[in-house]
């Protein structure tokens, strides 16, 4: 299970949060929109799942991300997102 707290407080996350242009580009990218769509389908309510994760209950969001990463399309989209951050 991913350590979301560690990811969010990591150096890369801090750098991304400080670069509004890069953050906006990532947010608006078609692959990001497709990932959100896929996660919404899995969770039923992505926003609620994200809120629960922020409050310490990341089980539903973690499961949805795990499913996304096992899906060939999802894994490809995530890789594209990672590559765009380099």
């Amino acid at each position: 299970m991913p350590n979301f707290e560690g990811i969010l407080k990591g150096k890369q996350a801090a750098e991304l949060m400080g670069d509004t242009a890069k953050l906006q580009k990532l947010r608006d990218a078609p692959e990001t929109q497709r990932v959100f769509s896929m996660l919404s389908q899995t969770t039923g309510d992505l926003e609620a799942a994200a809120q629960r994760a922020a409050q310490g209950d990341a089980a539903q969001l973690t499961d949805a991300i795990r499913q996304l990463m096992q899906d060939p399309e999802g894994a490809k989209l995530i890789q594209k997102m990672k590559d765009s951050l380099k």
Side-chain angles (χ1 to χ4, degrees):
M1 178 181 317
N3 177 355
F4 291 113
E5 185 74 21
I7 292 169
L8 294 175
K9 291 187 177 182
K11 182 182 176 186
Q12 283 183 311
E15 289 174 3
L16 179 60
M17 295 307 290
D19 187 341
T20 55
K22 189 179 262 189
L23 190 59
Q24 185 173 355
K25 181 180 175 186
L26 178 63
R27 182 197 68 201
D28 295 340
E31 51 271 357
T32 303
Q33 298 304 311
R34 180 67 182 130
V35 165
F36 285 158
S37 175
M38 292 173 80
L39 288 172
S40 291
Q41 289 174 349
T42 304
T43 62
D45 185 350
L46 181 56
E47 188 173 331
Q51 287 175 351
R52 283 191 296 278
Q55 295 169 351
D57 179 11
Q60 184 182 23
L61 190 56
T62 300
D63 288 343
I65 292 169
R66 187 174 292 121
Q67 287 179 28
L68 177 73
M69 293 301 295
Q70 291 175 350
D71 179 281
E73 179 187 3
K76 191 176 186 178
L77 290 167
I78 294 292
Q79 187 59 52
K80 280 185 174 183
M81 291 170 65
K82 284 179 169 180
D83 292 345
S84 75
L85 294 174
K86 293 179 182 176

